[in-house]
Amino acid sequence: MTGKKLIIAALVLALVQIGFLSWIIAGRAAILRNGKEVLLKVQPVDPRDLLRGDYISLNNNISRIPVKLIANVPQGKFSSDDTSIVVQLKKGADGYWQPAAAWFGRAPAPGGPDEANIGGRVAEGWDLRDPEATIAPDYGIDRFYVPEGEGMAIQNDMRVRPFGIKLALAPDGTAQIKALMDGDKTLFEEPLY
């Protein structure tokens, strides 16, 4: 390959990579800008990652879903490998959204302005035989990074008063954390880009 062809190939590869990264960022920004907002209660789990800085690992009120809420429990009564789940949320009187129903795979569209669907994944092996048991879907909303030095203070505050996360939900149920809330006060908001 000549030097000129090598430079052209490198430029094309760089443009493809830039295009791909721009597509990912634009998709996330579209959800944050246009997604349906829901507010979830959260509790702290662990506020520090030595390699990435301060973050708050979030345990929210939809982290555990009762099996009795799942409308279509599979015949084998165990979750299969990386099963998709849709959880329907309903807005409560206190402003926080709660799980109301769930489906493996596809779900009916939300019925009104106080309903929304969030999509997640369920790992293999959850025992679904006991309706009183719970499962732990992964929605991709379990961490929120905060400025360095603030994670521990926020974690301590979370133990004494209510905190929440404001989510933006795309029509397909994909969730992005939009903001970390201290009661009605916005502590940190995610930038679009």
Side-chain angles (χ1 to χ4, degrees):
M1 209 179 226
T2 66
K4 189 174 184 177
K5 286 183 181 179
L6 190 58
I7 290 172
I8 291 172
L11 285 173
V12 168
L13 180 61
L15 288 173
V16 168
Q17 289 175 336
I18 290 170
F20 180 71
L21 290 174
S22 297
W23 176 69
I24 291 172
I25 292 168
R28 181 179 180 281
I31 293 171
L32 289 173
R33 185 176 45 252
N34 303 322
K36 182 170 187 163
E37 287 187 3
V38 300
L39 183 64
L40 302 177
K41 287 183 183 178
V42 293
Q43 298 173 336
V45 178
D46 179 12
R48 186 88 178 129
D49 181 336
L50 294 175
L51 299 177
R52 296 186 216 162
D54 281 4
Y55 71 91
I56 299 177
S57 184
L58 304 168
N59 181 18
N60 58 60
N61 58 327
I62 62 169
S63 293
R64 304 286 294 185
I65 300 297
V67 170
K68 65 184 170 192
L69 289 183
I70 304 170
N72 58 345
V73 174
Q75 294 241 345
K77 306 279 184 167
F78 285 90
S79 62
S80 59
D81 188 27
D82 199 29
T83 305
S84 66
I85 189 168
V86 177
V87 178
Q88 185 177 71
L89 305 175
K90 288 195 178 190
K91 188 174 185 177
D94 61 357
Y96 290 100
W97 294 63
Q98 302 292 327
W103 296 266
F104 286 118
R106 296 188 59 123
D114 288 344
E115 294 181 359
N117 288 345
I118 184 169
R121 311 291 302 170
V122 177
E124 180 178 11
W126 285 96
D127 187 350
L128 305 171
R129 294 176 290 185
D130 179 5
E132 299 305 314
T134 60
I135 60 171
D138 179 9
Y139 307 102
I141 56 169
D142 59 346
R143 282 188 181 182
F144 188 83
Y145 286 88
V146 297
E148 189 171 337
E150 296 192 26
M152 197 60 89
I154 292 171
Q155 175 192 10
N156 292 335
D157 288 346
M158 287 176 115
R159 297 187 191 287
V160 295
R161 61 182 187 268
F163 275 69
I165 53 170
K166 188 183 296 183
L167 297 180
L169 294 175
D172 69 354
T174 302
Q176 294 289 331
I177 297 176
K178 194 168 188 171
L180 178 64
M181 309 293 291
D182 181 355
D184 292 337
K185 179 183 171 193
T186 300
L187 287 181
F188 300 102
E189 194 163 7
E190 280 291 318
L192 290 179
Y193 294 99

